[in-house]
Each structure stands twice: as structure tokens, then as C-alpha cells.
Amino acid sequence: MAFGYGFPNLNDDQKHARRVLLDFYPQVAQWSALAVFALFQFAFLFSWLTCRGLAYERPRSPSFSKRTERTWLKASQQSWDKLLWWMKKPVFPNWGTTGEWVGGGVWTTWLLYLSFAQTGNDYMHLTKRFGIIGASQLPLHYLLALRSPYSPIQYLTRLSHEQLKAPHQALGRIIYLFFLLHVAFYLNGFVQLGFLAKRIKDKDVILGLLSISLFTILSTTSLEPLRRWNYRVFFTTHVLIASTVLVPLYFHVSHIRPYILETIAVFLLHQILRILSTKIFPGTITLLPGTQLVQIRIPLSSSSTALKWKPGQHVYLRHPSPSTSLFRLQNNPFTIASLPAKDKQLLLIARTLNGTTKHLADLARSLSSRDGGIHASIPLTLEGPYGASSHVPNLVAFDRILFVAGGVGATFVVPVWRSVVEESGSGDAAASSVVNRVRFIWAVRKLAETRWVFPESASISTSGSEMHATTAPVEIFVSRPSGADLQVNANGDADDIELAEHDQLLGFEEQMHSLRKGVVVHSGRPKMDRIIEEVFGKGLRVAVLVCGPRGLVEEVRERVGWWVGRGAEVWVHEEVFGW
């Protein structure tokens, strides 16, 4: 065999020694994750100590020349920020970040070392090691998919479920690689020994081949092109196979059962936490005139636990089918576009495309025609809330705050923006100070798409969701100032397009009159290079929140990266459309 491996004849003592090693190294592989979590704690400690030191070093005078004095502490912080920024930089478009590749490469190398260590020249020992090392990573893989805020990994890393998706995907590919090596080495060994025809009929081999086939389907449907082609296929396949593949793995061989039982425990915990976070609310579904947007309003009682939900969080919505009264199986994430505690309601906004959002739009039309235009209340099942808002720092502490939204990305940005400008201080002086440090850029296709934030009435209102009470300026950039938007259902019937032209076309001047004072409207796309240059300044600490299409987010990241490379103190949070 290659590389000195072969099929030595082992006595009972040697077989027992091999079994001891086969049990030991997977435990090392599993518990090695604690070292990664320990590195996170050291990073948090370093960041905390640095921030405390810089707070003492920062002079009270607003002079920028004094604030740019370079100390060893500031130099360390800038080097750390540059490293983190480099780690978040994409290697290739849609191919992951540098950090994902470095982290995945280091972890794969470590697991490969644990697979080869002390295997001697025993080919079957190496083959078995690949399989059990891969199985040892399954509990961690399922923990990374746990989207509940009670997830221990979220607590240890201070990362949200959305941010943990990348390591979840990377570890899934690593596990698949080790299982492939396990299967390929075993089949090659059977061929070399001349009993493939016999072993292929045995139960353990059949279950192993079934398991790798399920993992292959799971990995294939998880590829980004397929996710973008049909998210429902990906989601359904992912959920079904992730829950069923554990059965053939459990009965494959007894040695991996402890890891499979741990994985089953994590899976059951996930389901229990999802059930506990799922509630039914009465709400209304309507179409916003002049737009492709579907609006869902859910009023909250004074005793509702949803009043404690935070800006920027999202929920998973299950809704009744337009043709039946039964709840649909699939659920989709919707950002909470309101401040629940202040508005006493949950506001969800979605752009009408194909799939679930089209069903929502059809349901809104059906309810409107059936009830004579009255917004009838229907039961809606919400699971959550989830999201990264609990990991957002105190934005008021920054010298400048830049909010950038593209289209319905404002559903994430607007509540966080409101929480800053409306709740940062009780006095007028405090509120004015914050407003002067905030800039909100919103790029939309049609001005009518802003109507869920700025209703038609120009009168002053105290309704939190309508936001007439705040005087914070908003800059809206409209790429299509006139004409109907015919993308309500790109693959739908002509009747849908005709309805869009008839019901959704509003004049630009008419829309302008509906906006409140403080809103500045521009025609065309925002020039992010100029905007970011105006926001950043010498010695300033800047917070940037951006949510929208991938192109907009990447443009903002590229422009902000230029300032990070020059030592600017920047905190950035990005939300990109898509899974």
C-alpha cells in the first residue's frame, strides 16, 4: 500500500491497543473546541483592557490633533482591528472570508493530524480513524446550528446565529470530507483484500453507504447557487436529512454511538427551545399601495412578552395558506421593523417575490377582496426573536454613526436608528447631540417604498412606527423616481403585472408631499465613497450599520476598509440579503 500502510496481522492485545487509540483521539478532537472558545475569551479580555486603556488616554479636549497621538496601546488596537478586518475580507466573491478559510484550514489540519497520529502502518486503523474523527465533530456541528439565544456557543463567542452560520457550513464540509475519506479508504481496502462483493451486502456497510449518500445530498443542496435557485428545496432537504441521517449512523457501528447520542440530544434541545419560543399572534396582512411590499401588523397587549423584543431582531413566520386554513410548514425570517415597547405592535415588511412572499401577497389580496377592504385579523405563528441586536455595542458612545439601508434592508436599520435618535436621552440637548452625530442613508427603487416609515399624512403624529416625532434627518436615494415597477412577480401571470400597474403606480410629486420635514430626497444611487469620506474624520470613532443587497454591502465594506487600513477606529455590522 502507499505511504507504508498495509494490512498487518494483529493479535488480541494489539487490537485492544488500537481500540484504545480509536476511542482516545476522537475525544481529543471533540474537546479541542474548548481551546477555540478559550481564544475568544482572551480576545474579549484583550479588547476590554485596550478599550479601558484608550478611554484613559483619550483627552477630553475635542481637538483632533491631540486625539491622534499614537501610543503603543492605540497601535496594538489598530493592528488588532486591521487583522479582524482582513479576516472578514472575502477571498473570492461568494467563496467565504479569509477568516473562514484560515480557521477551516487550521481545524482541518488539526483533525488530519489526529487521524494519522499513532496509526503506524495499519491501513484499517487509519480508515476507522477518519470515520470516528468525523463523527466526533457532529455535536459541535449541530450546536453551531442552534439558533436559540440560549445556545452555549452564542454565549461563549458573543456571535449571533446568523454569524455562526459560516463556521457551521465550514465544519459541515470538513465532516463530509472525513466521511468521504472513511468510505473511500474502506472500499479501497475491500478491493485490495478481495472481499468487496461479500462486505457490500453486510448491514454496517449498507448503513454506511446510505449515510454518505444522505450527506452528499445535504452538502449538494447547501451550495449557494442551489440555495439561491430554490431556497425551499434547500431548507426542506436540510431539515429532513439533518434529522434522519442520525438513524443510519447510530446503527452503522457501535463505536460512534456516544457522539450520535450527543448529537441527538442537541437536536432535541433545539426543537424544544424552538417550541418554547413559538407563539400565535393575531395580525393583519396588507399590500402597501405603489410598492411590491407586504406589510404585517401585529398589535401587542400590555402583558405581551413581545414588548421586550429589541431593535434589529427577527422572527420566523408561519402563515395560513391562501387556499386552506391550515398552517404552512415552511417558515421564513422577517425583521421586526418597529420598536415593540414603544409602538405596542410588531411590524414586518417583505418584498413580494416568488415563493412564500408571493403567497403572502396573494393572501393579502384575498382577504382584502373577501372582507371589502377591511383589514381582517388572522392567526400568525411567530418563532423567535433571534438576531445579533444583543451583541450591538452602545452606539451613542461613538463620535459618528452611519446607517445605510438598501430597499427592505431598512427593516433592520430603521428600528436601530430610531432606538438611537429617540431613546438616547431624555433632554433636548442630549437628543440634539445624538442627532448631529447620526447619518441615515436609504436607497430605494421607488419613493413609495418608504411609506411604511413615512405615511401619507403630513401631520405631526406621536405614533412610534410612523416616526414623525423625531427630527433626525433621513437621506433617501430613489433609483426609479417614476414609472411602474413590474417585478412584483417576475415569473407570474400577466394579470399580476397589470394589477401592479393599476394599483401600485403613484406620481413622484404626490409621494413627495407625503414626506415629513427633515427627509431629503435624491434621484439616483448614493455615492458611498463621498458619503463615507464625509462621515469619517481624523481621530473619530465611527459605527457603521449596513443592511441591503450584497452589492451595496460590499461597496460600503470596501470604502470603510480604506479607513480601517489607515488606523480609523471603526465598528461595523453587516446584514446581507440571502442565506
Side-chain angles (χ1 to χ4, degrees):
M1 297 292 293
F3 305 108
Y5 281 90
F7 302 96
N9 293 320
L10 304 180
N11 57 37
D12 291 341
D13 291 338
Q14 290 173 326
K15 289 180 180 179
H16 175 72
R18 182 172 69 179
R19 174 47 51 195
V20 170
L21 293 174
L22 283 171
D23 292 337
F24 171 73
Y25 278 99
Q27 294 181 23
V28 174
Q30 186 174 69
W31 290 100
S32 297
L34 293 180
V36 178
F37 299 138
L39 288 176
F40 271 92
Q41 309 316 308
F42 281 119
F44 296 146
L45 178 62
F46 171 77
S47 179
W48 181 79
L49 292 174
T50 303
C51 290
R52 295 275 294 184
L54 289 175
Y56 283 109
E57 289 183 357
R58 186 174 293 114
R60 299 184 181 275
S61 169
S63 171
F64 291 163
S65 60
K66 292 182 180 179
R67 298 183 65 175
T68 55
E69 294 180 3
R70 185 178 178 86
T71 64
W72 71 270
L73 196 59
K74 188 174 183 63
S76 299
Q77 179 65 39
Q78 290 176 349
S79 299
W80 177 252
D81 290 342
K82 291 178 182 179
L83 175 62
L84 292 180
W85 191 264
W86 176 77
M87 296 288 280
K88 295 177 182 178
K89 186 177 180 180
V91 177
F92 300 105
N94 304 325
W95 278 83
T97 64
T98 304
E100 293 171 23
W101 280 87
V102 171
V106 169
W107 195 248
T108 302
T109 303
W110 170 241
L111 295 182
L112 284 173
Y113 167 75
L114 294 178
S115 298
F116 281 91
Q118 290 188 275
T119 56
N121 65 339
D122 190 346
Y123 180 88
M124 297 308 294
H125 188 176
L126 176 65
T127 302
K128 294 173 184 289
R129 191 81 70 85
F130 282 135
I132 199 167
I133 289 289
S136 71
Q137 301 302 294
L138 285 173
L140 177 61
H141 182 56
Y142 278 63
L143 273 174
L144 288 169
L146 195 68
R147 64 190 184 198
S148 170
Y150 298 105
S151 165
I153 294 185
Q154 291 187 37
Y155 177 79
L156 290 172
T157 62
R158 301 180 190 176
L159 299 176
S160 69
H161 164 66
E162 291 70 28
Q163 293 167 316
L164 289 174
K165 282 179 181 177
H168 169 75
Q169 292 172 336
L171 185 57
R173 297 185 183 105
I174 294 172
I175 293 173
Y176 180 57
L177 170 65
F178 276 77
F179 283 165
L180 276 179
L181 290 173
H182 175 69
V183 172
F185 273 56
Y186 246 125
L187 292 178
N188 178 65
F190 293 157
V191 172
Q192 296 293 329
L193 294 173
F195 48 76
L196 175 63
K198 175 183 178 298
R199 290 288 282 129
I200 203 73
K201 300 176 184 178
D202 293 339
K203 185 185 72 171
D204 60 331
V205 176
I206 293 174
L207 291 174
L209 293 176
L210 174 61
S211 300
I212 196 63
S213 299
L214 291 175
F215 272 109
T216 300
I217 297 173
L218 191 67
S219 300
T220 303
T221 55
S222 298
L223 296 175
E224 184 168 355
L226 292 178
R227 294 202 309 266
R228 292 182 176 276
W229 169 68
N230 195 318
Y231 182 86
R232 188 180 304 177
V233 170
F234 152 75
F235 180 81
T236 305
T237 304
H238 211 75
V239 172
L240 291 178
I241 294 182
S243 57
T244 57
V245 72
L246 299 177
V247 176
L249 281 176
Y250 180 85
F251 291 103
H252 173 50
V253 289
S254 61
H255 308 298
I256 65 171
R257 288 179 182 175
Y259 304 110
I260 303 304
L261 290 175
E262 292 174 6
T263 307
I264 292 174
V266 173
F267 178 80
L268 293 177
L269 175 64
H270 191 183
Q271 302 311 309
I272 293 172
L273 292 176
R274 290 187 61 184
I275 293 173
L276 294 177
S277 62
T278 300
K279 295 179 177 59
I280 298 178
F281 297 88
T284 61
I285 303 178
T286 58
L287 290 171
L288 292 181
T291 72
Q292 304 176 26
L293 304 182
V294 178
Q295 175 180 267
I296 301 172
R297 287 184 181 270
I298 301 174
L300 301 176
S301 63
S302 57
S303 60
S304 176
T305 56
L307 293 173
K308 299 179 181 180
W309 294 359
K310 298 178 181 179
Q313 290 183 317
H314 64 269
V315 294
Y316 285 81
L317 171 70
R318 290 201 303 269
H319 55 87
S321 168
S323 57
T324 68
S325 59
L326 298 176
F327 283 94
R328 301 181 63 86
L329 291 177
Q330 71 269 18
N331 51 9
N332 288 71
F334 289 84
T335 303
I336 301 171
S338 58
L339 296 180
K342 184 172 184 178
D343 304 341
K344 302 299 187 289
Q345 70 169 356
L346 299 178
L347 178 65
L348 311 178
I349 304 292
R351 185 179 300 280
T352 305
L353 300 171
N354 291 320
T356 300
T357 53
K358 182 181 183 301
H359 289 304
L360 278 173
D362 293 340
L363 178 60
R365 294 189 188 99
S366 174
L367 292 172
S368 178
S369 60
R370 186 183 69 186
D371 300 309
I374 300 175
H375 298 162
S377 181
I378 60 173
L380 300 168
T381 302
L382 299 184
E383 177 196 331
Y386 304 114
S389 60
S390 58
H391 307 286
V392 174
N394 181 18
L395 298 179
V396 179
F398 289 86
D399 300 313
R400 294 286 187 271
I401 311 170
L402 174 63
F403 297 95
V404 181
V408 292
T411 56
F412 172 82
V413 175
V414 165
V416 182
W417 169 72
R418 286 183 56 199
S419 68
V420 171
V421 300
E422 296 181 17
E423 301 178 2
S424 57
S426 57
D428 293 338
S432 176
S433 172
V434 173
V435 168
N436 292 334
R437 292 186 277 131
V438 173
R439 190 165 183 182
F440 182 11
I441 307 296
W442 187 2
V444 294
R445 297 177 181 175
K446 307 291 293 295
L447 191 58
E449 293 181 4
T450 66
R451 296 176 69 186
W452 63 272
V453 180
F454 310 113
E456 293 183 7
S457 173
S459 60
I460 299 299
S461 169
T462 59
S463 173
S465 62
E466 297 176 358
M467 292 185 296
H468 289 283
T470 179
T471 58
V474 179
E475 300 173 61
I476 299 177
F477 291 79
V478 185
S479 60
R480 302 177 186 175
S482 62
D485 194 337
L486 302 182
Q487 297 183 2
V488 175
N489 180 15
N491 298 320
D493 300 328
D495 293 340
D496 294 328
I497 298 179
E498 183 179 354
L499 182 64
E501 290 179 312
H502 179 73
D503 290 343
Q504 298 184 358
L505 181 58
L506 292 177
F508 186 70
E509 295 297 329
E510 179 185 351
Q511 299 172 51
M512 286 289 294
H513 288 301
S514 69
L515 297 177
R516 66 163 175 81
K517 183 179 179 181
V519 175
V520 181
V521 180
H522 307 275
S523 178
R525 292 174 53 83
K527 299 183 182 208
M528 295 310 306
D529 54 345
R530 182 181 302 175
I531 292 171
I532 291 175
E533 183 178 0
E534 293 171 354
V535 170
F536 280 76
K538 201 173 185 181
L540 294 180
R541 299 175 63 243
V542 181
V544 179
L545 283 86
V546 54
C547 180
R550 187 178 299 275
L552 175 64
V553 174
E554 290 177 352
E555 182 181 4
V556 172
R557 160 167 279 278
E558 180 182 356
R559 302 299 179 183
V560 172
W562 188 90
W563 288 91
V564 172
R566 281 148 186 80
E569 295 183 54
V570 186
W571 177 86
V572 180
H573 181 80
E574 304 168 355
E575 294 273 336
V576 183
F577 294 163
W579 199 90

